[in-house]
Amino acid sequence: MRIPGPEHQEDGGLSAVAAAGGLHRYQLRLHEAHGPVVRFQLPGADTAVSVADPVLLEATAHIDTRPEELFAFLDPLCEAGNLQVLPADEHTPWRRLLFSVLAGRPAHERHFARFTELAQELADGWAGPSPATTGSAARPGNPVASTSRERRRARRARPG
């Protein structure tokens, strides 16, 4: 079976990942162009496969092996102990534990709204204060909130 994907690149796919603005955006583009299962190059690994189909992902969740070098290029970007870069013998027990709690469409569907809320708060925190919260707008007592927690409090405090 031939898995669809982009043409082989001499730089191992690095330029394609960079041009997309990062690995996640690159994978989103690949899935849009090639479907729910796509083959592509990662720097340091000749071939990787990304699965964006929930049923197939469930069916492959038990596979605990991957080439050690697959995510080696992320090592300098991840904190120590990040599941993405741990060796297989350390990664497998954690992956099994997390999958036992989080895997499966019913769990995802049940918690989707909360996951979305948490992801938005995290993204807001990474974005930092908005332009409206800098300079004179950031004075004490100003209703413009500068953190996710402050924005949530401000939303709850609003009438109606």
Side-chain angles (χ1 to χ4, degrees), residues 61-128:
H62 67 283
I63 300 172
D64 287 324
T65 58
R66 64 179 183 196
E68 288 289 326
E69 69 277 2
L70 183 61
F71 292 109
F73 75 100
L74 292 176
D75 224 350
L77 306 173
C78 296
E79 67 279 357
N82 185 298
L83 283 177
Q84 203 69 326
V85 296
L86 283 177
D89 61 328
E90 294 176 49
H91 175 266
T92 299
W94 282 106
R95 187 172 188 270
R96 286 187 180 151
L97 175 67
L98 291 172
F99 269 32
S100 72
V101 176
L102 300 174
R105 283 170 287 131
H108 295 163
E109 292 165 358
R110 189 169 47 255
H111 300 292
F112 186 77
R114 181 66 178 139
F115 287 157
T116 302
E117 180 183 331
L118 290 170
Q120 186 61 53
E121 288 175 18
L122 185 61
D124 290 347
W126 286 341

Side-chain angles (χ1 to χ4, degrees), residues 12-23:
L14 185 60
S15 62
V17 172
L23 181 58

